[in-house]
Amino acid sequence: MKAEIISFTDHGAVLAQRLTEGLSRQGICCEAWVKKKDAVLLEGVQVLAASLKEWTKKQFAEADALIFIGAAGIAVRSIAAFVQSKKTDPAVLVADEQGKHVISLLSGHIGGANAMTRLAAGILGADPVITTATDLHGKFAVDVFAARRGLFMDSMAYAREIAAELVAGRRVGMRSAWPVFGPVPEELDREGVPLAGFAVDVRAVQPFAHTLHLVPRITVLGIGCKKDTEKTHLRNVVLQVLKEHRIYPESVCRIVSIDLKKEERGILALAEYLKVPFITCTSAELEQVKSEDGFAESEFVKSVTGVGNVCERAALLGARTKRLLIPKTAREGVTVAAAVMDYTVCMED
């Protein structure tokens, strides 16, 4: 995690130095700055020559957290032009230059500003100021739950509805395709069917009228194709197969194929599109893979690659499982299969 700290007075720079030292001890990479021409030079605190707007623009794109030490109005005006989405905006905090209060200003849950506020306040001996309703009421926060586990959320609207239901004292539903470890908060209903709830799954299941999907990245794609398959065609085939099986592309964590395809441009482009690694295996490694249901073997494929089924074996090998989520599906020179890695939903942070 990367945090950037900006101050505007000599006393603020002292607090920035303390925060840098304290956050660094927590494994957070920090840089501290002071925007003051005649600032007293402190070790670990740089004088900012660029404009505050330029600094903010750069850090909004690169940092995980921005901490302003000064008036809240300075922070608000500085970030206003760069705020886009609570899914992507960094955490933004404000500390007063006396170190009495630390305010969670932006991206409290998904961006981690609330957690960072508590941490920074602890370092400075300040009071944390957090205004999100679920925190104030001590309720389960589904967006925090998702963010801390790296789960994709498909609907911010349903996330807000779930938060509103919990703050109002009503229970919301929870379903999981995998085992759940740890105590489940009492406000989560795992047996009834409330109007709103969330499902931890790689598939677009609908256990509730208003279902928020929390999607772990645990799906492994096994892919085979004819040489030099056009990259747009390959991507469209794969996405269509995923759609037909109601599987979120956001659940894909890697693509696997035989090493003969390591330079295949279409697969490389798909991996880049999905932002996942592309891994290749030898025919001997694929030949060792076993399946509970057997494989759809092809003598032609075996004559070319040395193994009669690439995509299914590749998916199972990549996921380290024996059960396929999507069996071999062949479309216009492209073969696709998918498997899911073992997973446990941990309720404890």
Side-chain angles (χ1 to χ4, degrees), residues 106-164:
L106 186 72
S107 295
H109 283 168
I110 297 176
N114 290 357
M116 179 69 84
T117 294
R118 295 186 182 97
L119 183 58
I123 293 169
L124 296 178
D127 292 327
V129 180
I130 296 170
T131 59
T132 43
T134 48
D135 291 85
L136 293 174
H137 290 270
K139 299 295 185 179
F140 174 83
V142 69
D143 48 358
V144 174
F145 177 82
R148 289 180 178 173
R149 290 155 185 80
L151 305 176
F152 168 76
M153 290 197 306
D154 74 330
S155 171
M156 290 307 302
Y158 284 163
R160 288 191 292 269
E161 180 178 348
I162 286 172

Side-chain angles (χ1 to χ4, degrees), residues 19 49 82 119 124 141 151 163 173 181 191 206 267 299 314 319 326 335 347:
L19 276 176
F82 310 112
L119 183 58
L124 296 178
L151 305 176
F181 174 79
E191 297 180 356
Q206 292 295 140
I267 303 179
E299 288 301 321
I326 301 176
T335 57
M347 300 305 298

Side-chain angles (χ1 to χ4, degrees), residues 328-344:
K328 177 181 177 180
T329 303
R331 301 274 173 83
E332 302 176 61
V334 179
T335 57
V336 185
V340 173
M341 302 168 68
D342 290 336
Y343 187 70
T344 299

